[in-house]
Amino acid sequence: MVVSTSGRLIRLFRHAELAYAVVTLFALTQGPVYRVWSNSNSRLDILPNPSPQHAIFATFVAVQLPAVVLWFRRVNTDWLRDRANQVLLALLGWLGLSVAWSTFARQSLPEFVALVLTTCFGLYLATSFSRRELWWIILSAMALGVGVSWIAVMRLWDGAVNLQNDYWVGIYGNRNSLAPVAAVASLASVVVVSFARERLVPNWSRIVTLAVPAALFVFAAIEVWRSGSQTSPVALSVAVIACVAWLVVRTVAARFGTFRSLRHHAAPITLALLAMFAVLALRQIGDATNISGDAATFNSRRALWSVNWSGFLEKPWLGWGWMAARFNPDFFKQGTWWAAVETQWSHNGYHDLLLGGGVLAAVLFALYLWMSSRQFDRMPASVALPRVALVVFVLAAATQESFFVGSHFLWALLIASLAAARDDVASVDEQDSRHWAT
């Protein structure tokens, strides 16, 4: 009886932790948290302090703290011996140091804290859940975003539909914030459906595994389409191309002795090739001699990019401080500043790294990607392929939006996908067998 009761408590706590992970990841899509505090903006005349941004930041910290505590309890010193983890810590440490010379330290410090917390949340997801659990968590969290946004659109909640231009926003305030949620929901749906083919499962479980993701895929695809966003569909297309390219490189390296040494570097080579093709494509679209000066991107953000690049050239080694550049009026007094909107967002995650921490930040990030993605080639294709797709989706989408920031679900998923890739295959399968046995 004691053993039975103990087993029930363990299962109860496990289910509670799964629910917590889903709710937190849903919160990190940002729309729900901003919706909760949206009414506070109308009370600033009588209740100006603390500001809504203060409450929003505190909310993101509060929902992620349990994950941080649990990850620190579960991780051991072996984690620090991994070279990729050392590079990740170096990247975070350098961005933390940038607060000291930031042109707006009051902005850089909270942004750095948020980045560390969300990185830990991504590591928590990778450490605490099997790959099937992780994808079900992603599916469930995105389903909440897709579902609530659908209700908001159907019931015409305030701001859910842009009636003037006829596109959907849902609960996210911006169509380029709704579309990534729906796009990741579509990807997760395909991955979860594939689980039904990997092992024999009860009929009811097979029905759930097929019906729920299939329905979500339809609703998510409609929301991506009605959002009118170009970034997420293009990023999904790039992810599919990357997966095909990775399989081709991996197959060629395995079958031909001349390229056998490349077999364990197929994933980073694929990422490098895609990066080069992206640079060449941008050069062809924009100024053929200078990608940074006048490049037209997926959404024609060339003026913003020009200001970003000229700002980076002013402070190439140390940067302006993490996420501080666009809060400094001096930043807009260079480049084609008269043609650009003085927005606080650079609309490019890579430019955020260059502006925030200079060349070293970008080099450390690239090195982390290279070292982490190598582990994809040591895993079965069926295990690694969904993670490759998710990583590339985030990397591609970040060319158009500031997705390399704290308190954002895409940064958490990027870290989780890269960290999960370092799990030993046998350990992953063992976790899966224990999960399904229960």
Side-chain angles (χ1 to χ4, degrees):
M1 179 66 68
V2 175
V3 175
S4 176
T5 303
S6 177
R8 290 174 182 172
L9 286 175
I10 291 175
R11 287 195 293 271
L12 179 62
F13 282 124
R14 187 59 175 174
H15 292 154
E17 185 174 356
L18 287 166
Y20 161 74
V22 170
V23 172
T24 302
L25 189 58
F26 172 53
L28 290 179
T29 62
Q30 297 196 338
V33 174
Y34 280 93
R35 275 279 176 176
V36 166
W37 294 107
S38 61
N39 289 335
S40 297
N41 290 318
S42 62
R43 305 296 298 260
L44 292 178
D45 54 336
I46 59 175
L47 298 171
N49 295 309
S51 68
Q53 288 301 320
H54 178 98
I56 290 170
F57 175 76
T59 302
F60 283 127
V61 170
V63 297
Q64 292 177 95
L65 273 180
V68 176
V69 173
L70 289 172
W71 179 70
F72 272 105
R73 285 178 58 88
R74 291 167 181 172
V75 76
N76 54 43
T77 55
D78 291 338
W79 187 85
L80 289 173
R81 298 191 181 98
D82 189 294
R83 294 292 185 186
N85 293 332
Q86 294 171 6
V87 174
L88 177 61
L89 289 177
L91 172 62
L92 294 176
W94 178 251
L95 294 178
L97 285 175
S98 74
V99 176
W101 58 79
S102 173
T103 58
F104 191 14
R106 282 185 293 136
Q107 172 68 17
S108 293
L109 181 58
E111 290 287 352
F112 169 69
V113 172
L115 185 70
V116 171
L117 290 176
T118 306
T119 300
C120 289
F121 180 72
L123 295 171
Y124 159 77
L125 291 177
T127 302
S128 303
F129 304 102
S130 71
R131 68 186 182 96
R132 285 181 174 79
E133 288 174 332
L134 177 59
W135 279 106
W136 271 106
I137 288 169
I138 296 173
L139 181 86
S140 302
M142 299 305 105
L144 288 175
V146 169
V148 177
S149 291
W150 189 275
I151 294 173
V153 169
M154 295 299 105
R155 298 183 65 85
L156 291 178
W157 290 1
D158 183 36
V161 180
N162 186 310
L163 298 176
Q164 182 178 0
N165 297 311
D166 191 28
Y167 62 79
W168 292 3
V169 175
I171 62 171
Y172 290 99
N174 187 301
R175 60 182 175 183
N176 288 324
S177 295
L178 168 64
V181 175
V184 173
S186 301
L187 176 60
S189 300
V190 174
V191 176
V192 170
V193 166
S194 70
F195 293 161
R197 301 176 55 188
E198 293 184 8
R199 63 178 69 223
L200 294 176
V201 293
N203 289 335
W204 64 269
S205 181
R206 184 182 294 274
I207 293 173
V208 172
T209 304
L210 293 175
V212 172
L216 177 61
F217 182 88
V218 173
F219 283 99
I222 293 173
E223 288 191 2
V224 171
W225 168 52
R226 290 308 308 265
S227 71
S229 173
Q230 301 175 38
T231 300
S232 291
V234 172
L236 275 179
S237 301
V238 173
V240 173
I241 294 172
C243 289
V244 174
W246 174 64
L247 291 175
V248 170
V249 173
R250 180 168 167 152
T251 301
V252 170
R255 292 187 178 181
F256 297 94
T258 307
F259 304 101
R260 196 171 299 276
S261 61
L262 301 178
R263 185 171 183 270
H264 297 299
H265 299 85
I269 288 173
T270 301
L271 292 180
L273 290 174
L274 285 173
M276 288 190 294
F277 281 128
V279 170
L280 292 174
L282 289 172
R283 289 197 177 204
Q284 292 298 321
I285 294 173
D287 187 342
T289 61
N290 187 0
I291 179 177
S292 57
D294 197 31
T297 62
F298 300 161
N299 289 318
S300 300
R301 290 179 167 89
R302 57 186 180 182
L304 293 173
W305 279 44
S306 178
V307 175
N308 292 342
W309 187 258
S310 56
F312 159 68
L313 293 178
E314 284 198 5
K315 299 176 182 290
W317 304 115
L318 297 180
W320 296 68
W322 181 236
M323 301 302 291
R326 286 187 161 271
F327 285 83
N328 190 332
D330 292 337
F331 176 79
F332 296 96
K333 297 177 182 179
Q334 40 80 30
T336 56
W337 61 271
W338 57 85
V341 178
E342 293 192 15
T343 174
Q344 297 172 350
W345 299 104
S346 70
H347 290 278
N348 189 301
Y350 304 94
H351 284 180
D352 286 327
L353 289 170
L354 290 170
L355 290 170
V359 173
L360 183 57
V363 169
L364 288 172
F365 180 71
L367 186 59
Y368 175 65
L369 287 178
W370 179 275
M371 298 182 71
S372 294
S373 61
R374 283 188 310 178
Q375 305 304 315
F376 288 129
D377 299 305
R378 301 178 185 177
M379 308 179 75
S382 60
V383 175
L385 198 61
R387 291 170 182 163
V388 172
L390 185 54
V391 166
V392 174
F393 172 80
V394 178
L395 296 177
T399 62
Q400 302 302 301
E401 300 290 345
S402 296
F403 287 148
F404 297 157
V405 292
S407 303
H408 198 284
F409 80 107
L410 285 183
W411 178 257
L413 293 182
L414 177 66
I415 297 297
S417 298
L418 292 170
R422 292 192 291 276
D423 288 343
D424 182 75
V425 177
S427 175
V428 172
D429 291 340
E430 183 183 352
Q431 290 182 30
D432 287 344
S433 62
R434 289 201 306 266
H435 168 62
W436 285 97
T438 58

